[in-house]
Amino acid sequence: MDFGLQGKVALVSGGSKGIGRAIAEELAREGARVLIAARGQEAIDATIGAIRAQGGVAAGCAADLATEEGVLRAVAAARESFGPPEIAITNVYGPTHGRWDETQNDDFRAAYDQIVMSVVWLSRAVVPDMKKKRWGRLLNIGSICAKEPHRELPLVTANVTRVGVVALNKSLSAELGRFGITVNTLATGGFL
């Protein structure tokens, strides 16, 4: 299937393992030039190798995308390797697990930076170029807990922050649609 991604520049955070890697590999199969951003260089190299072995184009950047510094480093690496990202996937691991009585105020602050601000930082870094091109794709890999909080799992900070990303993305979608930029949240459930 041709999704019209040939030659597009894609930045995939958390792109070296799991769903992030699967997304990076599929984008490369569709002809996008993919920047893999993740914390572990070994996994990044393995993913780049797999993409290149299938004829795809990929580069990597070791960075923590749950920090502003890491986001800026990854965006700079994408620009240096391929140009400004036209597709940006935010995919950071969820916050520390814990029930209400097990969490502290600092756990909520850290979760907010990790989950919500990671989307803010990446969007701020890539949207200006997307607006100029009048085309862009922002996709957040979220969680079903944004719709219905987990009851069995101790994920109170995730339950709260994932909803924030959905609201942010709805706001961004309303503002950026006129520039040809789509904004979506993929609310995943449990998977292995």
Side-chain angles (χ1 to χ4, degrees):
M1 185 177 291
D2 182 3
F3 289 105
L5 303 180
Q6 185 68 39
K8 299 286 187 191
V9 177
L11 188 160
V12 182
S13 71
S16 66
K17 295 179 183 176
I19 194 169
R21 179 174 174 159
I23 290 169
E25 289 175 345
E26 189 60 34
L27 286 167
R29 273 192 284 281
E30 286 293 322
R33 297 171 290 163
V34 182
L35 189 287
I36 308 293
R39 292 174 290 175
Q41 190 64 53
E42 188 175 323
I44 292 169
D45 292 341
T47 303
I48 291 170
I51 288 172
R52 289 180 178 168
Q54 294 181 17
V57 178
C61 175
D64 183 354
L65 278 287
T67 68
E68 185 174 16
E69 177 187 39
V71 167
L72 296 177
R73 184 179 319 124
V75 171
R79 287 176 189 275
E80 185 176 314
S81 297
F82 307 121
E86 299 158 288
I87 301 166
I89 312 292
T90 53
N91 176 40
V92 298
Y93 184 74
T96 304
H97 294 182
R99 297 189 188 285
W100 175 255
D101 290 336
E102 301 165 343
T103 56
Q104 304 298 315
N105 292 342
D106 286 344
D107 295 321
F108 282 90
R109 287 187 186 99
Y112 188 82
D113 277 356
Q114 185 178 6
I115 301 301
V116 179
M117 290 307 297
S118 64
V119 176
V120 170
W121 295 322
L122 186 56
S123 298
R124 287 201 189 282
V126 300
V127 163
D129 286 309
M130 291 178 177
K131 281 174 135 180
K132 288 178 190 172
K133 290 186 175 185
R134 301 195 66 78
W135 194 94
R137 301 292 180 260
L138 299 173
L139 174 65
N140 172 255
I141 306 305
S143 170
I144 194 66
C145 73
K147 183 174 181 180
E148 181 64 38
H150 289 288
R151 292 182 182 170
E152 300 83 26
L153 298 176
L155 300 173
V156 67
T157 58
N159 292 340
V160 171
T161 55
R162 296 289 187 186
V163 172
V165 173
V166 171
L168 170 64
N169 283 346
K170 285 185 175 186
S171 296
L172 288 175
S173 178
E175 290 187 32
L176 300 177
R178 63 191 170 104
F179 297 100
I181 301 169
T182 63
V183 185
N184 291 282
T185 300
L186 177 62
T188 61
F191 60 90
L192 300 175

